[in-house]
Amino acid sequence: MTPHDFLSILSRAAILKTTPRHCFTEENRKESVADHSWRTALMAMLLSGEPEFQDTDMNKVIRMCLIHDLGETFTGDVPTFEKTDTDVHNEDALFFDWVRSFPEAQRQEWLELLDEMGKMETKEARTFKAFDKLEAVISHNESDLATWLPLEYDLQFTYGKENVQFSEYLKALSSCIDEWTTKKIAGHATL
């Protein structure tokens, strides 16, 4: 990879630092897509030592977490409850076209990761997807309740539930998040 290629990829990725997501992280500051991607990768690192994940290549999961939303550098973030099939197709097409422009080694690695993520057949892909969904729910719990849309009160309890079913640890984590959500809605914002 030439230094020019390296800087070009990093410059495109940097767009995620200022691409807002739907969720607020603090008063008057929306979460960025980079905030979300970083924390999904941190989730993988934190759980890499858990017995249930000993047979999971968490370095691969971290890589998936780091690249999974880079298509949003082209389209911006569209909240899941507004995203259409057309939005998904457009984002994927732009992202894959960009990746195909990479030097061979990086292109091959990223296309293999994206293919695995899309098929959702491996424990690594399922783990990444669960982290992606759970991180969003955690972020909403950290947001001021005044920033929630009415539909999010129910969505907090359903979003990503199907993605954690393969893992006892992640089902327990999801239940813990649900308890937190219940307390938050009841006016007891602490975990």
Side-chain angles (χ1 to χ4, degrees):
M1 172 180 287
T2 67
H4 181 270
D5 291 332
F6 180 83
L7 293 174
S8 176
I9 293 168
L10 280 185
S11 292
R12 170 54 65 177
I15 294 170
L16 293 186
K17 295 194 303 184
T18 57
T19 302
R21 284 174 56 90
H22 168 71
C23 183
F24 283 83
T25 59
E26 56 193 57
E27 188 174 336
N28 298 320
R29 182 186 175 279
K30 281 196 170 191
E31 174 186 39
S32 75
V33 177
D35 293 330
H36 163 72
S37 296
W38 165 78
R39 197 151 77 162
T40 60
L42 183 61
M43 291 167 75
M45 183 178 171
L46 285 169
L47 293 183
S48 64
E50 287 296 315
E52 183 181 329
F53 296 100
Q54 291 303 303
D55 66 339
T56 307
D57 182 349
M58 291 303 246
N59 285 328
K60 182 184 275 190
V61 174
I62 290 168
R63 293 166 104 74
M64 290 175 173
C65 291
L66 289 172
I67 71 168
H68 81 280
D69 275 339
L70 280 166
E72 294 179 8
T73 64
F74 299 97
T75 62
D77 179 67
V78 179
T80 190
F81 48 83
E82 293 176 2
K83 198 171 232 178
T84 66
D85 289 343
T86 301
D87 293 327
V88 171
H89 176 74
N90 185 41
E91 181 181 316
D92 287 350
L94 292 165
F95 186 25
F96 277 79
D97 283 348
W98 177 56
V99 171
R100 286 186 194 98
S101 74
F102 287 12
E104 179 59 32
Q106 289 74 27
R107 175 176 54 240
Q108 188 64 33
E109 177 188 10
W110 285 45
L111 289 175
E112 287 173 7
L113 286 170
L114 292 169
D115 182 61
E116 184 174 342
M117 292 159 67
K119 289 179 179 172
M120 295 291 293
E121 295 172 349
T122 64
K123 188 169 182 188
E124 288 78 11
R126 290 189 304 271
T127 301
F128 138 72
K129 184 52 83 173
F131 290 165
D132 181 33
K133 303 288 184 159
L134 289 172
E135 197 287 327
V137 177
I138 291 166
S139 287
H140 273 84
N141 271 352
E142 293 169 338
S143 298
D144 188 311
L145 203 55
T147 67
W148 287 24
L149 298 174
L151 64 86
E152 290 176 304
Y153 287 81
D154 291 332
L155 192 59
Q156 278 296 105
F157 293 105
T158 60
Y159 190 65
K161 287 295 189 240
E162 70 280 2
N163 300 102
V164 301
Q165 295 309 308
F166 73 96
S167 163
E168 292 305 314
Y169 186 95
L170 296 178
K171 286 192 289 188
L173 176 60
S174 181
S175 291
C176 184
I177 295 167
D178 286 349
E179 291 172 20
W180 179 15
T181 303
T182 299
K183 289 177 185 176
K184 181 176 187 69
I185 291 170
H188 310 289
T190 60
L191 179 59

